[in-house]
Amino acid sequence: TSMIFPAYLASHDVIGITAPSAGIAPEYQEGLELSESHFRQNGFEVRETENVRASGVVSSDGETRAKQLHDLFRDPEVKLILSAAGGDFLIDMLPYVDFDLIRSSPKWVQGYSDPTNLLYAMTTTCDIATIYGTNGGGFDVAQLMPYLQSSIDLWQGKVQTQHSYVAYEGEKNMADGTKIFDKPVYWKTPNGSFSVQGRLLGGCVDCLCDIIGTPYDGTNQFIQKYQADGVIWYFDIFALRAEAVHNTLWNMREAGWFENARAFVFGRVLIPSSFLDMSYEEAIVRVLGEKVPIALEADVGHVPPRMTMINGMLSQLDVAHGKAELKFLNA
């Protein structure tokens, strides 16, 4: 068997929203409703599971979260499952997830940040492509910005190529919630510009560090199976210190994750810190070396705008002069 790409969405298909991590507390529900109105304006119907509007650190216990996910996989009308939000402790639900059910009824699942490990396990252990992109409650603006519309277009199979964006959201705007993109985007390439092909794989480093070597880590079988293609790794750093990023990459490397790596892409860090005064670039190059293609400060992850990445998708990535083009080859 080869990588399974679930069917793209057609008009009137149902989007299921569930909360495998945190739910959306009352004070943020206006944003959720705004997001859902955009999905409807784009021709879709929306169905929420019970835990979506829950407060607390997690929406419900791990077993309940898994059950609500299963309900959406069993619902024949649901074609895409969106994670309501990020958060912490998604890993609590993984032991309860029925991966056989998921294999028997593959659907698109999209989320980012804490949902990483659910997506990663689905792609590396079930061979099902998954989408690392904006969570269900994150389309909460009056007018959709291009990166958000691109995500919705991608669900319909309309996006083959994405380009790096012009500007991103600086810290000040992030703090006051204005969503104004005022800082110029520039993808840094410490080892020089590059053009590579490979299968996309990755997610939030702060989460991936927890599943290395567990039953939810199918990386070695994935890279063996697709060794002819190789892997383009993309990593989103939320708040790990530079030193912790170094040690996590070291751990991944020693666990065999990088054997067929074609390139590494790192997003802009949302909450940067270091106690040795080590830059993220130093930490990364120290582990990965000075020959392998690396891009830093890319449009991936927590600092918008973000490209929508598809785990398992054979892709072409070109990075030069601070700009990038990502092309999906087997969509």
Side-chain angles (χ1 to χ4, degrees):
T1 59
S2 58
M3 183 59 55
I4 296 160
F5 293 95
Y8 287 113
L9 277 64
S11 186
H12 303 300
D13 276 345
V14 177
I15 292 172
I17 304 180
T18 190
S21 182
I24 295 181
E27 60 270 29
Y28 300 112
Q29 284 171 14
E30 211 177 305
L32 174 67
E33 277 155 25
L34 194 50
S35 297
E36 292 181 354
S37 73
H38 288 302
F39 305 152
R40 292 190 182 97
Q41 281 158 17
N42 277 272
F44 305 114
E45 290 171 37
V46 180
R47 217 162 275 175
E48 289 181 19
T49 64
E50 262 171 60
N51 62 11
V52 168
R53 294 172 188 249
S55 302
V57 176
V58 284
S59 63
S60 46
D61 63 61
E63 197 167 357
T64 306
R65 281 177 276 152
K67 188 189 166 305
Q68 294 192 20
L69 177 72
H70 298 158
D71 289 344
L72 294 178
F73 270 101
R74 286 198 185 96
D75 184 336
E77 294 182 343
V78 171
K79 302 295 190 227
L80 165 78
I81 298 170
L82 284 178
S83 173
D88 295 279
F89 310 124
L90 172 128
I91 51 174
D92 291 348
M93 77 178 267
L94 290 175
Y96 302 104
V97 174
D98 181 348
F99 287 101
D100 290 332
L101 168 69
I102 290 174
R103 280 184 196 96
S104 69
S105 168
K107 303 182 181 202
W108 289 112
V109 179
Q110 172 166 322
Y112 86 103
S113 198
D114 200 36
T116 288
N117 290 338
L118 174 62
L119 306 177
Y120 195 85
M122 277 180 64
T123 299
T124 62
T125 71
C126 303
D127 252 350
I128 299 169
T130 55
I131 306 174
Y132 193 78
T134 306
N135 288 315
F139 295 78
D140 54 344
V141 283
Q143 195 65 46
L144 287 182
M145 283 158 257
Y147 80 97
L148 294 171
Q149 186 60 52
S150 172
S151 181
I152 294 175
D153 292 344
L154 182 144
W155 304 339
Q156 303 164 79
K158 294 181 193 167
V159 174
Q160 300 300 322
T161 304
Q162 297 175 76
H163 293 93
S164 49
Y165 290 89
V166 176
Y168 69 92
E169 186 173 22
E171 276 173 65
K172 181 184 140 309
N173 299 329
M174 208 147 214
D176 67 20
T178 50
K179 281 210 166 75
I180 293 168
F181 299 161
D182 59 336
K183 296 264 191 278
V185 165
Y186 191 91
W187 290 37
K188 286 179 71 178
T189 49
N191 299 344
S193 57
F194 61 88
S195 174
V196 294
Q197 277 187 20
R199 287 194 185 259
L200 288 174
L201 191 60
C204 182
V205 185
D206 311 46
C207 303
L208 289 169
C209 62
D210 295 328
I211 60 159
I212 300 166
T214 68
Y216 315 104
D217 166 12
T219 314
N220 295 71
Q221 67 193 49
F222 179 93
I223 61 179
Q224 273 325 111
K225 182 167 188 174
Y226 299 107
Q227 82 191 93
D229 301 330
V231 173
I232 296 173
W233 286 98
Y234 68 90
F235 289 124
D236 168 13
I237 302 165
F238 167 62
L240 279 190
R241 280 194 308 257
E243 296 81 6
V245 169
H246 170 280
N247 289 6
T248 300
L249 292 173
W250 181 92
N251 193 336
M252 291 170 172
R253 186 191 76 195
E254 295 304 305
W257 282 29
F258 300 156
E259 267 167 44
N260 281 321
R262 299 284 188 263
F264 294 87
V265 177
F266 293 86
R268 296 176 283 266
V269 184
L270 182 64
I271 307 168
S273 66
S274 161
F275 59 80
L276 296 176
D277 217 18
M278 177 181 268
S279 72
Y280 286 88
E281 181 174 335
E282 282 174 279
I284 289 163
V285 172
R286 193 182 156 125
V287 180
L288 300 179
E290 288 175 8
K291 294 187 177 67
V292 52
I294 295 172
L296 304 164
E297 295 178 36
D299 298 308
V300 170
H302 280 78
V303 181
R306 66 186 68 90
M307 287 181 170
T308 306
M309 310 300 266
I310 302 182
N311 288 315
M313 176 66 80
L314 188 63
S315 306
Q316 166 86 29
L317 176 65
D318 296 283
V319 186
H321 314 297
K323 304 257 176 280
E325 179 183 83
L326 177 68
K327 196 177 260 156
F328 296 148
L329 300 178
N330 58 352

